[in-house]
Coordinates of all heavy atoms in Angstrom, one line a residue:
F1 N 96.9 38.9 6.8 CA 95.8 38.0 6.3 C 96.1 37.7 4.8 O 96.4 38.6 4.0 CB 94.4 38.6 6.4 CG 94.0 38.8 7.8 CD1 94.2 40.0 8.5 CD2 93.3 37.8 8.5 CE1 93.8 40.2 9.8 CE2 92.9 38.0 9.8 CZ 93.2 39.2 10.5
N2 N 96.0 36.4 4.5 CA 96.3 35.9 3.1 C 95.1 35.2 2.5 O 94.4 34.4 3.1 CB 97.5 34.9 3.2 CG 98.7 35.5 3.9 OD1 99.3 36.4 3.4 ND2 99.1 34.9 5.0
M3 N 94.9 35.6 1.2 CA 93.9 34.9 0.4 C 94.6 34.0 -0.6 O 95.5 34.5 -1.4 CB 93.0 35.9 -0.3 CG 92.0 35.3 -1.3 SD 91.4 36.4 -2.5 CE 92.9 36.7 -3.4
D4 N 94.4 32.7 -0.6 CA 95.1 31.8 -1.5 C 94.2 31.1 -2.5 O 93.1 30.5 -2.1 CB 95.8 30.7 -0.6 CG 96.9 31.4 0.3 OD1 97.7 32.1 -0.3 OD2 96.8 31.2 1.5
H5 N 94.6 31.0 -3.7 CA 93.9 30.3 -4.8 C 95.0 29.8 -5.8 O 96.1 30.4 -5.9 CB 92.9 31.2 -5.5 CG 92.1 30.5 -6.6 ND1 92.5 30.5 -7.9 CD2 90.9 29.8 -6.5 CE1 91.6 29.8 -8.6 NE2 90.7 29.3 -7.8
E6 N 94.7 28.7 -6.5 CA 95.8 28.2 -7.4 C 96.1 29.2 -8.5 O 97.2 29.1 -9.1 CB 95.3 26.9 -8.0 CG 94.0 27.0 -8.8 CD 93.6 25.7 -9.4 OE1 94.2 24.6 -9.1 OE2 92.6 25.6 -10.1
E7 N 95.3 30.1 -8.8 CA 95.6 31.1 -9.9 C 95.9 32.5 -9.4 O 96.5 33.3 -10.2 CB 94.4 31.1 -10.9 CG 94.0 29.8 -11.6 CD 95.1 29.5 -12.6 OE1 95.9 30.3 -12.9 OE2 95.1 28.3 -13.0
V8 N 95.5 32.8 -8.2 CA 95.7 34.2 -7.8 C 95.8 34.2 -6.2 O 95.2 33.4 -5.5 CB 94.5 35.1 -8.2 CG1 93.2 34.6 -7.6 CG2 94.7 36.6 -7.9
T9 N 96.6 35.2 -5.7 CA 96.7 35.4 -4.3 C 96.7 36.9 -4.0 O 97.0 37.7 -4.8 CB 98.0 34.8 -3.7 OG1 99.1 35.4 -4.4 CG2 98.1 33.3 -4.0
D10 N 96.4 37.2 -2.7 CA 96.4 38.6 -2.2 C 96.6 38.6 -0.7 O 96.3 37.5 -0.1 CB 95.2 39.3 -2.7 CG 95.3 40.8 -2.5 OD1 96.5 41.3 -2.4 OD2 94.3 41.5 -2.5
S11 N 97.1 39.7 -0.2 CA 97.3 39.7 1.3 C 97.1 41.2 1.8 O 97.3 42.1 1.0 CB 98.6 39.2 1.7 OG 99.7 39.9 1.1
I12 N 96.8 41.3 3.0 CA 96.7 42.7 3.7 C 97.3 42.6 5.1 O 97.3 41.5 5.7 CB 95.3 43.2 3.7 CG1 94.4 42.2 4.5 CG2 94.7 43.5 2.4 CD1 93.0 42.7 4.7
E13 N 97.8 43.7 5.6 CA 98.3 43.7 7.0 C 97.3 44.6 7.8 O 97.0 45.7 7.4 CB 99.7 44.3 7.0 CG 100.7 43.4 6.4 CD 102.1 44.0 6.6 OE1 102.3 45.2 6.9 OE2 103.1 43.2 6.4
V14 N 96.9 44.1 8.9 CA 95.9 44.8 9.8 C 96.6 45.1 11.1 O 97.1 44.2 11.8 CB 94.7 44.0 10.0 CG1 93.7 44.7 11.0 CG2 93.9 43.7 8.7
R15 N 96.6 46.4 11.4 CA 97.2 46.8 12.7 C 96.2 46.6 13.8 O 95.1 47.2 13.8 CB 97.6 48.3 12.6 CG 98.3 48.8 13.9 CD 98.7 50.3 13.8 NE 99.7 50.4 12.7 CZ 101.0 50.2 12.9 NH1 101.5 49.9 14.1 NH2 101.8 50.4 11.9
T16 N 96.5 45.8 14.8 CA 95.6 45.4 15.8 C 96.0 46.0 17.1 O 97.2 45.8 17.6 CB 95.6 43.9 15.9 OG1 95.3 43.3 14.6 CG2 94.5 43.4 16.9
N17 N 95.1 46.8 17.8 CA 95.4 47.4 19.0 C 94.8 46.6 20.2 O 93.6 46.2 20.2 CB 94.7 48.8 19.1 CG 95.0 49.5 20.4 OD1 94.1 49.5 21.2 ND2 96.1 50.1 20.6
V18 N 95.7 46.2 21.1 CA 95.3 45.4 22.2 C 94.9 46.2 23.4 O 95.7 47.1 23.9 CB 96.4 44.4 22.6 CG1 96.0 43.6 23.9 CG2 96.7 43.5 21.5
N19 N 93.7 46.0 24.0 CA 93.2 46.7 25.2 C 93.4 45.7 26.4 O 93.3 44.5 26.2 CB 91.8 47.1 25.1 CG 91.5 48.1 24.0 OD1 92.3 49.0 23.8 ND2 90.5 47.8 23.2
P20 N 93.7 46.2 27.6 CA 93.8 45.3 28.8 C 92.5 44.6 29.0 O 91.4 45.0 28.7 CB 94.1 46.3 29.9 CG 94.6 47.6 29.3 CD 93.9 47.6 27.9
S21 N 92.6 43.4 29.7 CA 91.5 42.6 29.9 C 90.5 43.3 30.9 O 91.0 43.9 31.9 CB 91.9 41.3 30.5 OG 90.8 40.6 31.0
P22 N 89.2 43.3 30.7 CA 88.3 44.0 31.6 C 88.3 43.3 33.0 O 87.9 43.9 34.0 CB 86.9 43.7 30.9 CG 87.1 42.6 30.0 CD 88.6 42.7 29.6
V23 N 88.8 42.1 33.1 CA 88.9 41.5 34.5 C 89.8 42.3 35.4 O 89.5 42.5 36.6 CB 89.5 40.1 34.3 CG1 89.7 39.5 35.7 CG2 88.5 39.2 33.5
W24 N 90.9 42.8 34.9 CA 91.7 43.7 35.7 C 91.0 44.9 36.1 O 91.3 45.5 37.2 CB 93.0 44.0 34.9 CG 93.9 42.7 34.7 CD1 94.1 42.1 33.5 CD2 94.5 42.0 35.7 NE1 94.8 41.0 33.7 CE2 95.2 40.9 35.0 CE3 94.7 42.2 37.1 CZ2 95.9 40.0 35.7 CZ3 95.5 41.2 37.8 CH2 96.1 40.2 37.1
G25 N 90.1 45.4 35.4 CA 89.4 46.6 35.8 C 88.5 46.3 36.9 O 88.4 47.1 37.9
F26 N 87.8 45.1 36.8 CA 87.0 44.7 38.0 C 87.8 44.4 39.2 O 87.5 44.8 40.3 CB 86.2 43.4 37.6 CG 85.2 43.7 36.5 CD1 85.1 42.7 35.5 CD2 84.4 44.8 36.5 CE1 84.1 42.9 34.5 CE2 83.5 45.0 35.5 CZ 83.4 44.1 34.4
V27 N 89.0 43.9 39.0 CA 89.9 43.6 40.2 C 90.3 44.9 40.8 O 90.3 45.1 42.1 CB 91.1 42.8 39.7 CG1 92.2 42.8 40.9 CG2 90.8 41.4 39.3
G28 N 90.6 45.9 40.0 CA 91.0 47.2 40.5 C 89.9 47.9 41.3 O 90.1 48.5 42.4
I29 N 88.7 47.8 40.8 CA 87.5 48.3 41.5 C 87.3 47.7 42.8 O 87.0 48.3 43.8 CB 86.2 48.2 40.6 CG1 86.4 49.1 39.3 CG2 85.0 48.6 41.4 CD1 85.3 48.9 38.3

């Protein structure tokens, strides 16, 4: 994620965990 301004900038990295879709749970059931 980046924050942009003509005088200053900053950024961070976010670790994102992906869970399976709940649809597949319903299909399994």
Side-chain angles (χ1 to χ4, degrees):
F1 293 93
N2 304 294
M3 177 199 66
D4 297 306
H5 183 267
E6 61 182 1
E7 297 290 346
V8 63
T9 60
D10 195 18
S11 64
I12 57 174
E13 290 185 345
V14 176
R15 183 178 296 275
T16 307
N17 180 260
V18 175
N19 298 317
S21 172
V23 173
W24 293 108
F26 296 137
V27 170
I29 294 172

